[in-house]
Amino acid sequence: QNLETLINEGLRIALLAPTPDQSIEVMLEYLGKTLHGDRTYIFEKDERGYDNNTYEWVADGVVPEKEELQNLPPEVCAHWYKKFQDNRCVVIHQLEDIREKDPILYEVLEKQSIHSLVVVPLYDNGKVIAFFGLDNIAENISFEYTQSMLQMTGYFFVSSMKQRNLVRKLQEISFHDQLTKLGNRFALEDYATQVDSRRSIGVVFCDITGLKRVNDSQGHIAGDKFIMDASECLKNAFGDQNNGLFRIGGDELLVLCPEMTKKMLKEKISDLRSYMAEANVTMAIGYVWKPDASASLDEVMTEAEMWMYKDKEAYYKRTGIDRRVR
């Protein structure tokens, strides 16, 4: 079939997908099947200069490699990027052709049972931001035809990736507190729907005490730093697991700890108090652990909040601070 006709059909199908991510995946599958290759993929360079396989389609019977191809050091694809800078593609007719001149890359490709490939760069404003390619070209399809098809679809992938990045940025803004980068109430609602109600749950409710006093005496910049210091304590104590960390009010922080044992929850609380002491942060803390969903998550959070208020009351009684200037 005519090359442009094939590409237009692929674009038509891909653009019906509901998200940019899915559009990219649909197009990779379409190209892979149309060109009868073993695997199509995209690699993107991260801020450190490492390459990561972010999208992948594989034919039936072909082993996926995406999970194994993360954080590739710059030297692995260094020769490719030199070609990309000159607006050239990478075409390997036989893998043995590069055994001596590029042994690092040869070893990576050989482990994946790749014997031929075509890889094209993806540019944004003249800068290489990624590359995508097809492995193990079918014998009845020429390398030139494959290269032309990949190059002609490159603009679609760049556009889709830019849309994806915009969507991710909007999601980041929508679901995260901009000061602390913790989840906000929208994120909490979304996270709560994913908690397995058949499993144990720990809830930690924190109130940053002394915030009003800092704001009044030192200004809101100092108050913001106080909030960030408190959130860092929370991240240090609970951020190493699959826990949900949220800022749900000006001075209220919350942690949901699904599938955590009661013993571990208490250890985390102890860690939190240690981090608070180091950072000179004061928070009232209430926590509850439940073995299952005999109570709703809202009820568990309300109970944790109640224990937080008891802890706050004890703090003011202990320190003699007037609650009205908290």
Side-chain angles (χ1 to χ4, degrees):
Q1 277 185 277
N2 177 273
L3 189 62
E4 289 187 6
T5 301
L6 284 173
I7 291 173
N8 285 335
E9 176 62 11
L11 291 173
R12 184 189 70 80
I13 297 171
L15 291 172
L16 291 174
T19 69
D21 277 318
Q22 289 171 296
S23 290
I24 290 171
E25 290 166 355
V26 168
M27 194 61 174
L28 285 177
E29 179 180 0
Y30 179 82
L31 289 171
K33 289 181 174 179
T34 301
L35 295 168
H36 305 290
D38 279 358
R39 181 172 176 264
T40 51
Y41 46 85
I42 292 178
F43 279 75
E44 297 181 64
K45 190 175 286 295
D46 63 25
E47 63 278 357
R48 303 168 303 153
Y50 283 59
D51 291 300
N52 298 277
N53 188 178
T54 50
Y55 299 92
E56 173 189 63
W57 169 85
V58 295
D60 292 341
V62 176
V63 178
E65 299 284 351
K66 180 180 170 183
E67 298 305 317
E68 303 300 321
L69 296 173
Q70 304 299 316
N71 300 308
L72 295 183
E75 57 266 23
V76 173
C77 300
H79 290 175
W80 288 8
Y81 278 98
K82 288 180 181 177
K83 289 189 174 185
F84 297 158
Q85 288 169 2
D86 295 331
N87 203 27
R88 293 187 293 161
C89 301
V90 174
V91 179
I92 298 177
H93 295 82
Q94 293 290 336
L95 184 61
E96 291 302 313
D97 295 344
I98 70 165
R99 180 196 282 266
E100 293 185 6
K101 62 183 179 182
D102 200 343
I104 297 176
L105 182 61
Y106 175 87
E107 183 179 350
V108 172
L109 299 181
E110 197 268 339
K111 285 180 180 177
Q112 301 171 58
S113 301
I114 295 172
H115 55 72
S116 64
L117 59 75
V118 173
V119 172
V120 303
L122 297 175
Y123 298 96
D124 184 27
N125 292 325
K127 179 183 177 183
V128 180
I129 59 169
F131 61 81
F132 87 107
L134 181 140
D135 291 344
N136 298 339
I137 315 302
E139 292 183 3
N140 62 329
I141 296 180
S142 74
F143 284 84
E144 291 77 15
Y145 183 88
T146 299
Q147 181 176 324
S148 295
M149 196 164 192
L150 297 190
Q151 286 178 310
M152 290 176 71
T153 54
Y155 298 105
F156 163 80
F157 286 116
V158 172
S159 176
S160 296
M161 288 160 62
K162 291 170 77 171
Q163 289 181 43
R164 174 207 64 189
N165 292 344
L166 178 60
V167 169
R168 288 179 180 176
K169 187 173 182 180
L170 292 173
Q171 287 176 331
E172 177 74 17
I173 294 170
S174 299
F175 281 81
H176 288 84
D177 173 61
Q178 294 307 293
L179 177 64
T180 64
K181 306 308 178 186
L182 299 179
N184 58 18
R185 285 189 174 273
F186 294 116
L188 172 59
E189 291 174 9
D190 182 66
Y191 186 92
T193 63
Q194 301 172 45
V195 172
D196 188 344
S197 59
R198 298 165 298 179
R199 307 280 186 168
S200 65
I201 183 75
V203 175
V204 182
F205 205 113
C206 301
D207 180 277
I208 307 170
T209 55
L211 179 58
K212 184 178 185 302
R213 191 168 61 252
V214 172
N215 281 331
D216 291 346
S217 62
Q218 301 177 48
H220 286 279
I221 293 178
D224 285 349
K225 183 181 183 304
F226 197 49
I227 294 170
M228 287 190 287
D229 288 345
S231 70
E232 284 302 312
C233 293
L234 213 64
K235 291 175 187 176
N236 289 336
F238 290 93
D240 61 343
Q241 308 253 339
N242 189 32
N243 304 315
L245 282 66
F246 310 94
R247 183 185 180 197
I248 57 173
D251 54 6
E252 293 178 335
L253 308 178
L254 181 77
V255 187
L256 298 186
C257 308
E259 302 182 38
M260 182 179 286
T261 65
K262 188 174 185 178
K263 179 174 181 288
M264 182 175 289
L265 180 63
K266 288 184 176 181
E267 290 174 353
K268 294 287 185 183
I269 295 295
S270 178
D271 291 341
L272 175 58
R273 295 191 189 282
S274 297
Y275 287 122
M276 287 163 51
E278 291 174 12
N280 198 27
V281 165
T282 52
M283 286 195 288
I285 302 171
Y287 65 94
V288 175
W289 180 87
K290 298 290 184 182
D292 53 39
S294 55
S296 72
L297 188 55
D298 282 341
E299 290 174 350
V300 180
M301 288 191 284
T302 299
E303 186 179 346
E305 184 178 15
M306 178 195 72
W307 286 109
M308 179 274 291
Y309 280 118
K310 287 183 179 295
D311 189 47
K312 181 191 284 191
E313 199 69 50
Y315 167 78
Y316 287 127
K317 192 174 291 185
R318 187 172 62 250
T319 60
I321 295 174
D322 186 343
R323 291 193 63 171
R324 290 171 297 180
V325 294
R326 68 190 184 93

